[in-house]
Amino acid sequence: MSRAKPAAPRRPLIAGNWKMHRTASDTRTLIEDIVKRVDRVAYADIVVCPPFTSLPAAHETLGRHSIIALGAQTMHSAKEGAFTGEISGPMLREFGVRYVILGHSERRQFDHETDAKVAAKAIAAVHFHLRPIVCVGETLTQREAKETASIIETQVRSSLAGFPPDQLEELVIAYEPVWAIGTGKVATPKQANDVHQQIRKLLVSLFGPTGSAIRILYGGSVKPENAPDLMTQPDIDGALVGGASLDSQAFFDIIESARPARASDHD
Ligand code: 13P
């Protein structure tokens, strides 16, 4: 595969969002299958985000020094307290979690996760040494009404309000158009890259040159078949993969598509 963009300074990141799939015992099998395939991949950061109840099994199966990092799908912003059903940053850290998805559209839609909550969680995440993957994305109605740019700008600005500038290297953004999630309707590489470019400009205007080092992932029906065209876009730095991350071969094929042109597995 030829890669159109020049050697990017941003290291690719491929994250699997398992959503509400896989029990703890099924997790062991899936993690073992993924590890076998990605064992020698050195050109990308790889993250898997199983459900909370599967994190201990995933942590145990991966072992301490795995090249696969563990992520959670959400967290509460407080350290502890009377928040029934919630999980805090320190609780995640105890099971080796290093990343946390925040503001996923399913949580924005079903759990009233607002930009303000996402901002508080992102600040808490870095405080507890977790890397936030902050999700933004427009609905189909918003896209058709040509509101994509303004919706994305508001979500990025508000979800990053108060984010500590000295922690920017920990931050990851995921652009996930809601209409492309779980629908099989992927954004075209140009549609996705246009929004990534807009987000990149906004990050630079908010944070200065450091903003250009923040990785921006694309999510929404990423599959082995469409990943190569998405991953070669200049402003797409990786993928947040839902359904296809539950299939170890498909997940590996997507990781492969993020391989920079001249890099080998071993460098
Ligand atoms: P799908 O890849 O299943 O469309 O899900 C995308 C997603 O929501 C990842 O967070």
Side-chain angles (χ1 to χ4, degrees):
M1 184 192 71
S2 75
R3 198 166 168 86
K5 57 185 166 190
R10 296 179 297 268
R11 182 173 161 82
L13 192 162
I14 307 294
N17 175 8
W18 292 12
K19 308 193 179 184
M20 198 172 73
H21 293 285
R22 299 296 186 265
T23 59
S25 45
D26 294 342
T27 292
R28 290 180 202 280
T29 319
L30 180 52
I31 295 270
E32 278 163 9
D33 286 350
I34 295 172
V35 168
K36 264 185 243 156
R37 290 186 161 82
V38 306
D39 205 23
R40 302 173 76 189
V41 171
Y43 51 81
D45 290 335
I46 304 167
V47 182
V48 292
C49 306
F52 287 141
T53 49
S54 291
L55 288 172
H59 183 41
E60 229 177 77
T61 313
L62 284 172
R64 268 182 177 275
H65 303 292
S66 174
I67 59 159
I68 301 177
L70 210 46
Q73 298 175 17
T74 184
M75 62 172 261
H76 195 276
S77 54
K79 182 180 170 206
E80 57 186 7
F83 301 109
T84 303
E86 295 287 349
I87 299 282
S88 75
M91 292 169 183
L92 296 174
R93 286 287 308 174
E94 200 177 6
F95 288 101
V97 173
R98 312 239 314 270
Y99 290 80
V100 58
I101 299 171
L102 299 175
H104 190 280
S105 64
E106 286 149 16
R107 295 202 57 86
R108 290 178 184 266
Q109 188 183 348
F110 304 125
D111 297 277
H112 311 291
E113 202 154 287
T114 59
D115 287 336
K117 278 191 191 169
V118 175
K121 290 179 184 207
I123 296 167
V126 289
H127 178 75
F128 295 121
H129 308 290
L130 292 162
R131 296 180 165 165
I133 302 176
V134 172
C135 302
V136 296
E138 82 286 3
T139 63
L140 185 57
T141 318
Q142 290 164 340
R143 174 162 282 265
E144 285 174 349
K146 305 211 179 309
E147 291 168 3
T148 302
S150 64
I151 293 289
I152 297 299
E153 172 157 1
T154 305
Q155 286 183 350
V156 172
R157 275 184 189 279
S158 314
S159 302
L160 298 181
F163 191 84
D166 63 342
Q167 296 292 321
L168 284 170
E169 70 276 15
E170 305 298 320
L171 178 64
V172 179
I173 305 285
Y175 168 56
E176 298 206 311
V178 179
W179 49 271
I181 296 178
T183 58
K185 272 192 212 168
V186 65
T188 65
K190 182 176 177 341
Q191 276 176 327
N193 195 66
D194 284 352
V195 179
H196 282 232
Q197 209 169 45
Q198 182 209 340
I199 296 173
R200 168 93 43 227
K201 279 190 191 144
L202 180 56
L203 292 173
V204 171
S205 82
L206 289 173
F207 301 116
T210 326
S212 67
I214 298 170
R215 290 178 288 187
I216 308 174
L217 315 182
Y218 170 79
S221 297
V222 176
K223 307 280 180 241
E225 307 78 61
N226 56 36
D229 285 343
L230 289 161
M231 295 305 122
T232 44
Q233 294 299 308
D235 288 289
I236 298 183
D237 306 316
L240 182 53
V241 186
S245 72
L246 296 167
D247 176 323
S248 59
Q249 184 62 49
F251 190 50
F252 174 69
D253 290 344
I254 293 168
I255 293 166
E256 276 267 279
S257 72
R259 177 206 296 264
R262 283 179 299 279
S264 88
D265 266 1
H266 313 289
D267 60 13

